[in-house]
Amino acid sequence: MGSGPPTYDAEPTALPPADPDDLDDLVADTVLDGARYGACTLRAASVRGDSARYRGEPRRDSLLTARFGTAEHALVLVAMATGARATPGAHRAAAEACHWIGRAVGRSHARLAEDIRAGRRGDLKSGLHRLTDRSLGKLRASAAEQGIDPEEYAATLRCLLLPADPECRTRVFFGVGDGGLFRLRDGDWQDIEPRVSDVTGDPVVGFGSLPAETPEGDRLTMDLGIPTPPSPYEPAPPPPREPFRFRASIAHPGDTLLMCTGGLAEPLRGEPDLCRYLTGRWSGPTPPGLAAFLADTQVRVKGYADDRTAAAVWEA
């Protein structure tokens, strides 16, 4: 799709280099998984992008699907991460991010499943925020242990929690970083990615801009936008962290919920033909099989050659 044929070949060209003493570091070109629990059917795939296939680079995206618990008390986690661009350990950072959040959610799955069934949105948001911060903190600690800049050994992280209880239709999304969260309802795509709230209204003392003058009428010095030199007595402030994103929503029968990394979110937002194509493919009475879902997520769009990772949930 797009204005012409994509730049790269449709099939893999070169394999990533391999270290005979570290074969566990190799990443498969494609990962595919699926399941059916409660009222939902899950399909998940992670595919190396056309650019990485051509250059012989490993897939920077990582995908984890896991079930914790049994019967109606089970909780399904889908986690996906994307390592920083143009860094040699990007695929390792993404895999670590998925593993850390998987361990954290797995150890707390009973409480999380209970909070989801009871609709405790505030508890869920604060608890998942804490688990996410802790997991990404472990990733930064891992970077320090390896002597790597934490900004290079970093990853976006996006997760879905799906309760196996057929009476519970709450679907929980949380994460940090770019990507997409979409819902196909009644033939229309809705972009439901949680937005980072902006501060609006008049300046408040102690927050945002300073007032123009003091209560006594003295004018304040104008800020010319010149950065203040770092103090030799104080450590440099850490770089700002990505905001935490959270959304808990009630699924309707017939909905399709799609969570994806930027490699698929960007063409979905930028190429209407792709949205129309997936609408036709995913609006049928039954969810696609694994092979069909993989083919759908790989539809090529000119100008978009990054890894694609997607998890879609069909509601019965």
Side-chain angles (χ1 to χ4, degrees):
M1 295 180 178
S3 58
T7 304
Y8 303 102
D9 292 337
E11 299 298 334
T13 302
L15 290 170
D19 181 347
D21 297 319
D22 192 15
L23 294 179
D24 289 341
D25 192 47
L26 293 178
V27 181
D29 176 271
T30 300
V31 174
L32 186 62
D33 209 348
R36 185 171 67 239
Y37 284 99
C40 65
T41 299
L42 170 68
R43 299 285 182 259
S46 184
V47 183
R48 191 163 53 133
D50 288 349
S51 176
R53 284 174 162 182
Y54 176 78
R55 302 176 191 280
E57 298 171 350
R59 176 167 47 88
R60 291 186 298 121
D61 278 7
S62 185
L63 172 67
L64 171 70
T65 53
R67 171 181 60 86
F68 303 107
T70 58
E72 69 273 9
H73 299 290
L75 186 65
V76 175
L77 166 70
V78 182
M80 55 185 66
T82 302
R85 190 182 297 276
T87 57
H91 61 294
R92 288 190 293 271
E96 275 203 55
C98 287
H99 290 161
W100 284 122
I101 195 63
R103 290 188 182 100
V105 169
R107 290 166 179 163
S108 304
H109 78 272
R111 174 64 183 273
L112 289 170
E114 180 183 340
D115 286 345
I116 292 174
R117 287 195 298 269
R120 302 187 188 108
R121 177 188 171 90
D123 291 344
L124 279 170
K125 184 175 182 179
S126 60
L128 292 171
H129 194 172
R130 185 170 58 254
L131 295 182
T132 302
D133 281 350
R134 189 180 304 162
S135 299
L136 295 180
K138 290 181 179 294
L139 190 63
R140 289 187 290 271
S142 177
E145 291 175 359
Q146 300 176 61
I148 304 174
D149 183 348
E151 294 304 303
E152 293 185 359
Y153 199 75
T156 65
L157 179 63
R158 310 178 68 76
C159 304
L160 270 180
L161 292 179
L162 308 171
D165 184 350
E167 300 300 319
C168 181
R169 291 249 184 198
T170 303
R171 311 294 178 237
V172 177
F173 162 82
F174 66 97
V176 171
D178 294 334
L181 185 68
F182 305 92
R183 180 170 57 208
L184 178 59
R185 176 175 289 175
D186 298 328
D188 292 321
W189 282 103
Q190 303 168 358
D191 190 337
I192 59 174
E193 174 78 6
R195 305 300 181 191
V196 179
S197 57
D198 297 322
V199 177
T200 58
D202 296 331
V204 178
V205 176
F207 190 84
S209 303
L210 291 172
E213 59 184 36
T214 67
E216 291 75 23
D218 296 326
R219 302 291 296 179
L220 298 176
T221 303
M222 181 183 295
D223 181 5
L224 300 177
I226 301 173
T228 304
S231 168
Y233 306 106
E234 298 179 2
R241 296 183 182 176
E242 290 277 357
F244 177 73
R245 300 175 187 269
F246 172 88
R247 184 184 184 101
S249 57
I250 305 298
H252 292 185
D255 281 357
T256 301
L257 181 66
L258 173 66
M259 177 181 73
C260 55
T261 57
L264 183 57
E266 291 177 7
L268 274 172
R269 294 185 176 118
E271 182 53 65
D273 283 348
L274 181 59
C275 291
R276 285 190 285 270
Y277 174 83
L278 292 181
T279 299
R281 296 284 296 173
W282 292 355
S283 295
T286 58
L290 290 178
F293 178 74
L294 176 61
D296 293 340
T297 58
Q298 290 189 104
V299 171
R300 305 168 74 232
V301 182
K302 182 174 177 59
Y304 301 95
D306 283 342
D307 297 349
R308 291 184 181 181
T309 301
V313 180
W314 278 262
E315 300 292 339

